[in-house]
Every structure is written in C-alpha cells, then in structure tokens.
C-alpha cells in the first residue's frame, strides 16, 4: 500500500472585504447612498459592528425597521452607482496575489464565490490578473437582498471532484460562515473586512487577522 497523502483543502474565497480590500470604497458608497435618502453617515467602526448579510438586515439595525421595498431599491441602486465609481481606488488585500499564486503552483484548488454581481465581478478579477488561479468564479445572479447560502450550494455542486468535507470558505462576514455550514463545509473568518472581530467571533468558527493565517487554518481544519 502506498503512502497516504495529506489532505488539502479546497478553498472557496470570498471577494469583497477578503481578497479585495475595498472597505473604504464600500463605506464611502454607503454614506453617499445614505445622503440620497436623508440618512446620517456612519463611521467605519459602526459599519463593521452593525453590518450583516442579507443587507436589508443591516439597514434594519440602522433604521430600527426593515426598509420598504421602494426604500431598499433606491438605496441599493444608489450604493452600486457610487461603488462603481469608487471601486477603481481599491486593490487586492495584502499578500492575496502571492497566496493565490502559491496555492495554484502547489497544485491545490481554489475558487471564488461572491455576492458581487457576476457581470461586474468577472471583469474586475480579470483586471487584477488573478482569474487563472481559480477553478471557478461565481458572482451573484439573483436579487441583491439574498444571502449566500443558496449561491454556495450551486457553486459547490458545479465543482468537479470537490467534496464539502474538504472545502473551507474564507470570508469576512458572518454570512460566509452560515453559507459554509449550509453546504457542510468549514469556514475561517478574516478580520480585515466588513465585520469587527467581536461580531465574527459569534459565528463559532476560527477568526484570523491575515489571509496567510486563514490559509494555514483552513489546511489544519481538513488535515
């Protein structure tokens, strides 16, 4: 019998706030959209403490009620309009390019599953020169008010030869952990994005401060 090979994780990466360090653009677009509907701007710390997915729940925390359908549509449209202008000021997270390239060179697999609109996600991933590192890139194709669980199900089913038991989702939001649990995968949450560490720690999964640590933790989880 041959030597048993060490298991390696298939990593499903989140985009916004994880591989893509765009929090300043998100906050600025959020406050610009708030201004259009007469809401007060918020600080980065308050944003990271209150943010949640699905996004209408974030507005509920701020407003004390869920936004009406008309309010939601107006704020969502305004946010994306401002974000499209600001997104060019954002870059990949520190070390992300090297991590992705290193994993691909080592022959292990990784993919990208994001709630960013698919038609906008694909060009920006290509622009940053990292498309080749993923076996699949999936953005959102449904309503922006939805969470990630069902999208993660479709994403994982589309990956040939990848089982949930060796899959680890790396993201910056509680919804990433919930989506991982929904498909029977594990999760590691990263503090460099949309949530505070205190918020992330409520998920009951490993919480880390760097993407390198996230990858190391992911490998331990399936090892």
């Amino acid at each position: 019998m041959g030597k048993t090979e060490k298991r390696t994780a298939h990593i499903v990466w989140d985009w916004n706030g994880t591989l893509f360090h765009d929090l300043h653009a998100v906050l600025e677009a959020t406050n610009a959209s708030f201004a259009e509907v007469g809401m007060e701007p918020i600080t980065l710390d308050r944003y990271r403490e209150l943010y949640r997915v699905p996004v209408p729940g974030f507005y509920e925390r701020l407003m004390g009620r869920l936004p009406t359908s008309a309010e939601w549509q107006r704020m969502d449209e305004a946010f994306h309009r401002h974000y499209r202008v600001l997104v060019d000021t954002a870059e990949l997270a520190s070390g992300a390019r090297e991590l992705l390239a290193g994993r691909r060179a080592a022959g292990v697999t990784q993919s990208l599953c994001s709630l960013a609109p698919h038609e906008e996600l694909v060009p920006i991933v290509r622009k940053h020169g990292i498309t080749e590192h993923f076996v699949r890139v999936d953005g959102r194709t449904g309503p922006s008010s939805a969470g990630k669980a069902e999208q993660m199900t479709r994403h994982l089913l589309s990956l040939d030869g990848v089982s949930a038991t060796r899959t680890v989702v790396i993201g910056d939001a509680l919804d990433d952990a919930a989506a991982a649990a929904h498909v029977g995968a594990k999760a590691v949450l990263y503090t460099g994005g949309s949530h505070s560490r205190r918020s992330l720690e409520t998920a009951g999964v490993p919480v880390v401060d760097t993407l390198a640590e996230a990858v190391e933790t992911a490998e331990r989880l399936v090892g």
Side-chain angles (χ1 to χ4, degrees), residues 34-196:
F34 283 1
E36 292 193 16
V37 296
M39 292 175 61
E40 293 295 318
I42 61 172
T43 64
L44 177 59
D45 286 345
R46 182 162 171 77
Y47 177 92
R48 297 183 78 235
E49 199 61 41
L50 297 181
Y51 184 73
R52 63 177 296 185
V53 179
V55 179
F58 170 55
Y59 291 119
E60 181 181 20
R61 289 181 169 187
L62 287 166
M63 301 168 69
R65 61 174 176 82
L66 278 170
T68 66
S69 177
E71 288 171 331
W72 161 250
Q73 290 179 11
R74 183 178 177 188
M75 288 188 288
D76 188 51
E77 184 279 328
F79 170 82
H80 284 96
R81 173 165 31 86
H82 289 288
Y83 180 80
R84 291 184 192 106
V85 175
L86 296 162
V87 69
D88 286 341
T89 66
E91 298 289 343
L92 295 178
S94 177
R97 190 184 306 278
E98 294 78 13
L99 276 173
L100 295 172
R103 285 186 59 79
R104 178 168 174 258
V108 293
T109 59
Q110 54 201 338
S111 57
L112 181 59
C113 183
S114 170
L115 287 176
H118 185 76
E119 69 277 8
E120 297 178 15
L121 175 68
V122 171
I124 197 166
V125 172
R126 185 184 303 121
K127 173 187 172 183
H128 285 277
I130 57 174
T131 303
E132 64 185 2
H133 301 319
F134 304 110
V135 296
R136 187 175 180 91
V137 174
D138 281 329
R140 173 178 55 80
T141 56
S144 57
S145 58
K148 206 175 211 177
E150 293 306 320
Q151 181 181 352
M152 188 65 69
T153 299
R154 294 190 296 271
H155 180 76
L156 201 59
L157 287 173
S158 72
L159 300 175
D160 292 335
V162 175
S163 67
T165 56
R166 75 174 187 91
T167 296
V168 182
V169 176
I170 297 178
D172 69 317
L174 293 174
D175 193 53
D176 292 305
H182 183 76
V183 298
K186 295 178 175 61
V188 179
L189 297 180
Y190 164 63
T191 62
S194 63
H195 284 36
S196 66

